[in-house]
Every structure is written in structure tokens, then in C-alpha cells.
Amino acid sequence: MGESFRKRRKILGERLRKRRKISSKAWKAETEAKYSSSSSYSWSDLPAELLGLILRKVPFVDTIRCKAVCSSWRSAATQSQAQSHSIQSTPWLMLPSDQEGDFTTSRFFNLAEKKVYKIKDVFGAFGDDVWCVGSCHGWLVMLDDEANPVIFNPFSRVHIQLPLIPVEFFKPIGRSKFAQIKKDFVSKAILFADPSHSNNFGVVVMIYGTLSSLAFCKQGDTTWTNFVGENRGYYDIICHDNRLYALRYNCSVEVWEFQSALPTKILSIEPTTTLKHVDGNLPRDKVSTQLYLVKTSSDFLIIQRTIGNFVNAEGDVVDESYLLSSSDTQPLVCPYRTKLFCVYKLDLGKKLLVKVESLKDQVVFLGGNQSMSLSSHDFSECVSNSIYFTDDRWSEMDVDYLYGGHDFGLFNLDDEEIRPIYHSDLEKFDPPPFWITPNPW
Amino acid sequence: MASSSTSVVVSNKEKENKNTKKVTLKSSDGESFEVDESVAMESQTIKHIIEDGCANNEIPLPNVTSGILSRVIEYCKKHKEAAGESEPSVTSYTSNSTTNPLTEWDTEFVKVDQNTLFDLILAANYLDIKGLLDLTCKTVADMMKGKTPQEIRETFHIKNDYTPEEEAEVRKENQWAFE
């Protein structure tokens, strides 16, 4: 009786093992680990695949510390790192050093812990003048000292060189002159895929030049290619479902596919409604606007950012002449500042823009990064119904030595107030802060 | 009046009989648990056994003690109830209380000692119950947040098997995270 019981158990066990595709060794370890009794457990003996499951739910910085706990945890963590899976976490805010004269240390502010981590010499390989033009999947798109594009993961320190930007794109100036004006050349670049495991970034698309044109390069290409058609006036680009969604100055959205050699436009949505200009104490001639396209869990949103070109210490948007109105010998310092965000939902079917009063649980991250959104339900460290933004006014970065890169904060749609995310005495952030979701793999 | 109350009783019983297909699960320490088949099938492992036609009298679960098995059954019952008649149960673990009505119940469920938590993870894995595995793993993951390696060792009673040189090497890989 006992013999057939044991035999049947063994047969069933074998079937289970095969069905679940576990190796005999792992299965044996798993069953033996708990076969005896629950009093002899040890967390360091937890099967590697289960420890891997747990570690995937642990925030990035804590997994690093887990590796230092004991050797079996380290190997489990490394093993699970090698497997491809998307990590979701709140983006970290990448900041320059706050120490005078220190150009090599980067700081990373973690919203979840409200803590800053300092990492030395992150960008050393690319020269002193490296410039970031994009951030997605935990990778930065950068232009090195010679304005050559590269994609770089600051946590894994892996970089992938991209083809040189063609001379035709910045004619008539030569390449060396181009390196000097590179900061204003690319407004944004995005990657279609995370190259962490496969080294395949899919496609990189950038908005460049004075006309804000689109160009792309696919994995394996040796150069960049322009998009066909009118190719001008693009404000923002995002990748969704392996397609490019491009927002243009008139709030039209184009959808492009990359199946064949050249991208094909499969859809163009031109809303019949237009955005209302913000009124009140934000007069049209004293502000600039920037548009962003973002996909939340349910909708496509077009977000209008209104920036006061000169904002005084009281927070009022003033005219440039105001700077010289004081009796001081020096002009007043009135940096540009974001004053307001207006959110519109793009109804794709009806081709309408509908003003949105609340993002509900969604939280949006905007700036030089690929516009993204998260749910505050999943990440309690985020204030819901808010927009976390950084400064992407590349043309204004070097205009005044007293400020630049400083226009970052948190806008809440409930009270339409802007609050700081990170307190700093500095007013100049060079290079400007960027949102980056740590991707250690 | 008597007839109407009888008919109420009969219809309730009819409802019960519909889902009455039961299955017996036997723990490693020999205790038997009779449960509704639909509840037992929250476990993909048990589901396959039943579908394979191997569940004659009872299903032996040599890797799960009675203490743990009774808790697992409690979890499956609660989640099956919440999911209704739909199959399979879709209330997989999420801390989003607007989509998971059992968030509070789940939180209370995992308020157990470490021994039990450890056993629940192994049982959830062996029995292939995704929601329970996610819940227990997330609970352990939350216990690791914001702690130094030494604090993690103390929490989980883990022996540090690194030599000082090895440990220094691991820390050096990502020095900034330890400062």
C-alpha cells in the first residue's frame, strides 16, 4: 500500500516537473528543500528561480544591496538579470554635481527614497562636453564631444555607437563647427526598443534642425535617413506598439510604421478643434509654449506647457524691459519659468481635442525624455494627477550664466500649482536634468 | 407557507449540488482536506492532475504540510468566491485596490511569521497558484526595501558567506548604492 503510494507520487511528480519544464536538478532541490519540515528553512537556500521572482519586485537600488547579502543571492540576482523582462519603476532625476568645479560626478535623485545617489565619472568616456538629447528604456541618447550620437546606459555603463549625423543635415557649416552648436540641433531622440539583452535598439528617431524635421536610423544602418513628405514642424515623438506617433505644431498626430525600408505614414489625425491660448496673466507675447504627446494607460494626451520668458521673484511673468527697470546697476535676474500645463485628450475617432481637468491616478513625466506616464496606484511615491517636468529649452541653456536647466518641478492639476521636486540652492543646472528609469541590466 | 419555505431550501440545495464536485487533497503529514474541485483548480498543478484523470481518490501533496495546505485552501476559496463563476480566477495580486477588491484581505493573509511565509512561497510555486505566488513574493520584496545588506541579513537570518575581500568586490561594482 505504502509502496504504490510512493510510486504514484513519483509518477505524478515527474509529470508535473515535465509539464512545468523544470530541470530534474532544480526540481529535486525544490522538493528536497521543503520535504523534511518547516523548521529547517533558510532564506539563503530559497531556490534561485523563486529568489529571482522576488527580486524582480524589489526596486533597482535594493537589488544591488541584495547582491551583497550572500553569494547565493548574488548569483540568483545575476541570473534573473540575464533574463529579459521589463522593469517598471519611477524615473530617477539625473542632475549635475552640486559641487563647484566638479564636472564629472552625476547625481541621481530617487523619488521613492527621496535620496540622492552620487556616481563618479559616469560620462567620462564621451568627453567633457557630452550632451543628452533623449532618455527612454533606461538608455540616454547623447551627442559626444564631436557631436557623434551614441546611446548609453549610465547604470550598466554599456554604450552603443550610432552612425554619424550626415553632413547634409547641417549644411552649410562643417562638422567641427557643428560640434559647437550641437546643443540646439536635436530637440529629442527616442529608441523603439531596449537594447539591454539583444543589443537591438530597433529604430532611433530624432527631431532635428531649425525646421524640426524627423530622421531615423534602424539597427544595422550606417547612416541617418530623413522622413519623406513635408518633414517639418514636429514637436514631440513617442513610440507605442512599435509605431511612431509624431505630434506636429498644429496638434495633428501622424502614425508611422517601420516594416519596410522607409517609414510609411499609416495615419494622420488632424483634430478639428484647436488649443485655446492660455489667457489671464500669461499674455501671449511674454510666454512660449511647448507641446508634448503622451500615452497613458487609456488615452493619448496632448499637453501644452506655457513658459513665462522672464519671471520675477514674485512669480509674475514680465517683459524683458522689466529687467532694466530697477535702480540697480545690474539687470534683474528673471529666469524663464514654466507657469502652467494644460492637458487635452486626443479623441482619435472623432478627431477632437477635449480638455482634461484631471489625470486621475495617472502621473506624467515630461522633458527631454520620451514622454511617459505611470499610475500612482502602482507607485505611491508619486503625487497622482500631476506632471513631473524637466527643462528642455535647449536654446536657452547658455544664454545667461546665472540660470539654465533650472526649470523643473511638479505641476499638480488639482490646484494648478508648481512645486519643487528637489530642493537645491543652485539656479544653473548644466547639463540640464533628465528623467531616467534605471535599467541595470 | 410551509411549502414556500421548503422550495427555498430546495433551490439553495440545488445550487450547492451543481458545484459540489469535490476533491480530496492530502498533505505531507497525512491530513486530508476535502474541497470543491473548482477551488482546488486555482492550483494549476492540481488542475492538470484532475484533467489528466489521475485524481482517483485523493491527490497527494507530499511537499505541503497540513498547516500550510489549510492556509492555501483558505486563499483559493476566498479568491474563487471573489472571482465568481468565471474561470480561471482573475484576481491576481495587485496593490491597486480599485482593481483588486481583496487587497485588504490579502494584506491580512500574509501577516504571518517568516517560516510560514517561506513555506507559502514554496507551496504557491509547487502548486502553481500565480496570485498567491505574486502576493507572497511581493511581501518578501517589500521587506527588503530600504535596508543595508547587514539589515537584510538580520531580517532573514542569513549568514554572510563572503570573505571580506569578496564583499568589498561586490560593493565596488556599484559603490554609489552603498554610500
Side-chain angles (χ1 to χ4, degrees), chain B residues 143-179:
Chain B
M143 289 160 71
M144 294 181 187
K145 283 188 197 175
K147 292 196 164 83
T148 64
Q150 184 52 29
E151 285 166 352
I152 296 174
R153 283 184 209 120
E154 281 162 18
T155 305
F156 294 97
H157 312 292
I158 294 177
K159 188 166 172 292
N160 181 2
D161 64 348
Y162 283 128
T163 65
E165 295 80 29
E166 285 170 343
E167 187 170 349
E169 197 197 309
V170 177
R171 281 169 176 259
K172 200 164 154 224
E173 276 175 15
N174 287 291
Q175 191 66 41
W176 57 270
F178 295 95
E179 271 146 27

Side-chain angles (χ1 to χ4, degrees), chain A residues 21 36 47 76 81 84 88 112 119 123 127 147 161 165 176 183 190 192 199 244 262 279 295 329 388 433:
Chain A
K21 300 186 175 93
S36 39
Q81 272 183 18
S84 188
Q88 260 232 314
I119 310 185
F123 303 108
Q161 204 70 40
I165 296 181
S176 55
K183 287 185 182 179
I190 63 168
F192 267 39
N199 244 27
L244 179 74
L262 286 178
D279 52 1
K295 173 82 178 61
T329 50
Y388 287 76

Side-chain angles (χ1 to χ4, degrees), chain B residues 37-49:
Chain B
E37 192 183 86
S38 57
V39 167
M41 302 233 283
E42 288 285 293
S43 152
Q44 294 298 305
T45 305
I46 294 176
K47 183 165 181 274
H48 294 317
I49 293 174

Side-chain angles (χ1 to χ4, degrees), chain A residues 177-198:
Chain A
K177 261 271 166 61
F178 171 56
Q180 290 167 24
I181 60 122
K182 67 170 190 258
K183 287 185 182 179
D184 212 2
F185 187 72
V186 177
S187 3
K188 185 171 280 189
I190 63 168
L191 310 176
F192 267 39
D194 174 1
S196 294
H197 300 282
S198 56

Side-chain angles (χ1 to χ4, degrees), chain B residues 68-81:
Chain B
I68 296 299
L69 186 53
S70 61
R71 281 184 198 270
V72 171
I73 290 170
E74 197 190 330
Y75 177 90
C76 293
K77 264 194 189 145
K78 189 74 181 176
H79 279 251
K80 187 65 196 170
E81 259 169 40

